[in-house]
Each structure stands twice: as structure tokens, then as C-alpha cells.
Amino acid sequence: MKNSILSFVFIFFIVCTKAQMLKKDSVKEKIANIETVVINDKDYEKVDYSFALKKEINFRLKTGTSKSSFEIGLRFNNNLGQKGRVSNVTLFLHKTEKEYRLTDLEINFYKIDTLTNKPGEKLNIQQIIYTPKNNKRGNVKIDVEKYHIPFPKEGILVSVKWLPNKFNDLNVGPSIRLTNYTERLTYTRYDNDITKWNNGFNFSKKNGLYTNAMIGLEVYIKKEKLAMNKKYLYIIIAFLTLIILCLLTYKTSEKVVFNGSKETMIHDFGTLDKNKTPLYEYTFKYVNTRHDTLKVYGVRDGCDCTESKVKMGLYFKNDTIFIKTKYDPNKYNDNGAIAKQFFLITNKNVSKFDTIFPLSLNGIVK
């Protein structure tokens, strides 16, 4: 039975490990259309950030190109926590009045400064221009892959700036669509002054909602082929620990081989009267005769009706390890024969269970 359980544990761990290598995280904004692509012979995940589409309102931003140039940008947090590369940007444009002449839009990318939490370093070296073709409402996807714009762990701000046209019109198009959202993610500034970025832009009249520009962002995130997501790794470790504990408690009087002889690290209390003695204590003594140095990571209880304590750290050869244990028979109102397990965790082989050394408190509760 034990061999079957161990085989199951091993197969489960391998399957979970391989499956988790392909696991994709979620991000706070809506993520859709994730696919595997190949860039420079390396696998990446293509992630499409479509911002707040379900919270759309019929707002639009009209702008002008006076002496003070205006720039508006939307912040994208890198909730995947991995560096990437920007593939394309989507602008959600509103219908613009016919009397407004269209002008070129300049697209820029800024790294989020971790100290000020505002846009900082500009990430695109070359100027990126989009020339609108009509005044109609629609979505425009702009391919920026050739500009090699990084997607930093700190996050990124994607901005739009309306450039002056040859007529120097005060009012120009196209208009960009706006939406309400629960976070204030839109930043604006004038005159290309990096110190003038602010996120006070807000037309919303509803409490807890803020006006944001509607911009989409698509990035490539490099796959992690060797490292698993920490959350799922912890789940797997917890599951394996549970299986091992079940395996170890299958026979509570299992003999353990160390120092060339057979020993049983079991203490039998005999008869326990829980009415007279509500708490029973015993200290196990294990002498490190096998290894020149042995590191103790701790001791784990098999039941919350028990409590154990050990001095963690490095033990040299012939040092004695004291494991203090306590058992409360009234915790679950135990009756009859009992066998309570503890597990000493070390860095080297100390038993047939490798780095896990089982201890047991036995007795009959009356």
C-alpha cells in the first residue's frame, strides 16, 4: 500500500509540475485572446489588455492644439510580474464633428516611476505617429512591435498627443472615447513637462468612479519554462505533505533504522487519566551519530491536540537533539488507544523516510 501511495505522489507531482509550466496568470484588467507565438525562436505569451470595455459610457474627449500641447495617457499595471515587449496599441475613437479637421496623433510610452508612482522615463526612442483616415467612431490597432518597446515590471503608461495641423486649428479630431472605472489610471500633462503629469483628470459624477481614457495594449510575456507559479507550488507542497503524513501514520509503531541498529522512537504513557492529568509531556532525545553535521529545520505535529518544540539549527556529530512534546487528551475528548505522531525535519537522511524522522506518543486514554 505504501509503495502505491508513493508512486501516486510521484506521478501527481510530475503531472502538476508540467501542467503548471504552461499556467497563465490573470491580470486586473480584462485579458482575452491568449495564444502562443514564436519570436526570435523563443516562446512568448501574447496577452491582450482590453481596458474596462464593460464599463463604457458615452463620453469623449475633444482637444485642441493651442500653444500648450496636451497629452493624455492610460496606466497599465504589470500584474503578471514579468518583463515583456509591447506588440500593439488599440485606440478607441469617438465620432468627431465634420467641421473638425483631423490631425496626426503621437503615441508614446513611459515607464512608471516607483518613487513618485507617476510616468517617468520615456521608453520609445523613435516618434510613433498615427494618421486618422476619417471622423467615424471605431477602434484602431497600431502595430508598434518594430520599435522594441519594453513592458517593465513597474508598469507602463500609453499616451496620446494631438499634433498641430498645417492650419493651426484650435479644435481638432479625432476624439478619444472615455469610460468610468473604479481606479484612477489616467494621467494628463501640458507642454511636454515631465513634472506636470497628474491624475486629477475626472468627469465622473459618481462616487468611487473615475474617468479614464479607453486604450488597449497587447504585450508579449516570455514563458517561464522552469519555474512554477508560487501559489500553485505551495498547494502542491501542502498536498504532498498531507500524503506523506498519511503514509507515516499508516503504522504508528514503524521501526526506524539509524546508527546501524533498529530503534523505535516511541514513548508509551501507558494508561492516561485525562481527569487527573489534562496535559501529558515527554521529551524525545535523538543523538546525531550518523552525520558530521545535521541541520534541523523544525518539528511538525500530526494533530492539533499535540504541541512540539525543537531547537532549530546545526548539530554536530554526537550532539543530542531534544524534541519536547505535549499531548492534550481533552482537546477532542479522546478515549481508548491513541498514537500521536510528530515529525522531525532535517537536511540529511536520518530514517527510512529520508529527511523525515517520525516520533510517536502512545497510550490508553480513560
Side-chain angles (χ1 to χ4, degrees), residues 37-214:
V37 298
V38 179
I39 306 176
N40 299 328
D41 298 324
K42 294 181 180 179
D43 288 337
Y44 283 73
E45 290 177 359
K46 191 176 183 182
V47 183
D48 179 11
Y49 289 70
S50 296
F51 177 74
L53 298 184
K54 291 184 178 180
K55 299 182 182 296
E56 178 186 339
I57 55 176
N58 195 29
F59 277 9
R60 62 176 170 171
L61 176 66
K62 301 178 183 178
T63 189
T65 56
S66 61
K67 293 181 180 180
S68 297
S69 61
F70 177 76
E71 191 171 5
I72 184 170
L74 184 68
R75 172 177 176 166
F76 292 88
N77 297 321
N78 186 348
N79 293 334
L80 292 176
Q82 301 177 50
K83 293 181 180 179
R85 194 173 81 190
V86 179
S87 173
N88 57 64
V89 173
T90 301
L91 301 181
F92 297 86
L93 302 178
H94 205 288
K95 182 179 178 181
T96 308
E97 286 87 342
K98 293 182 180 179
E99 59 268 24
Y100 284 6
R101 279 190 280 248
L102 300 177
T103 189
D104 289 343
L105 302 181
E106 182 180 284
I107 313 300
N108 290 306
F109 300 84
Y110 301 91
K111 182 178 179 180
I112 300 299
D113 190 311
T114 55
L115 295 177
T116 64
N117 209 32
K118 292 183 178 182
E121 175 190 355
K122 188 176 179 180
L123 297 174
N124 55 299
I125 300 173
Q126 297 173 271
Q127 189 180 39
I128 303 172
I129 301 295
Y130 167 69
T131 302
K133 298 178 173 54
N134 55 59
N135 294 62
K136 296 180 180 179
R137 173 171 168 159
N139 306 339
V140 177
K141 183 175 284 191
I142 304 168
D143 187 351
V144 297
E145 191 172 324
K146 66 180 180 180
Y147 298 102
H148 304 286
I149 300 163
F151 185 55
K153 288 186 177 181
E154 296 79 7
I156 196 171
L157 183 101
V158 184
S159 75
V160 181
K161 186 195 300 184
W162 286 258
L163 301 178
N165 60 14
K166 63 180 180 180
F167 304 101
N168 290 318
D169 291 331
L170 179 62
N171 295 316
V172 293
S175 302
I176 192 167
R177 287 163 63 188
L178 304 175
T179 186
N180 278 346
Y181 195 58
T182 55
E183 290 185 83
R184 195 190 293 265
L185 299 174
T186 296
Y187 288 77
T188 60
R189 71 170 178 175
Y190 293 90
D191 300 326
N192 299 321
D193 188 343
I194 195 170
T195 66
K196 292 185 177 179
W197 281 113
N198 72 83
N199 64 342
F201 179 86
N202 188 24
F203 296 146
S204 176
K205 297 181 180 179
K206 296 183 179 180
N207 292 331
L209 291 179
Y210 303 98
T211 305
N212 286 286
M214 290 187 66

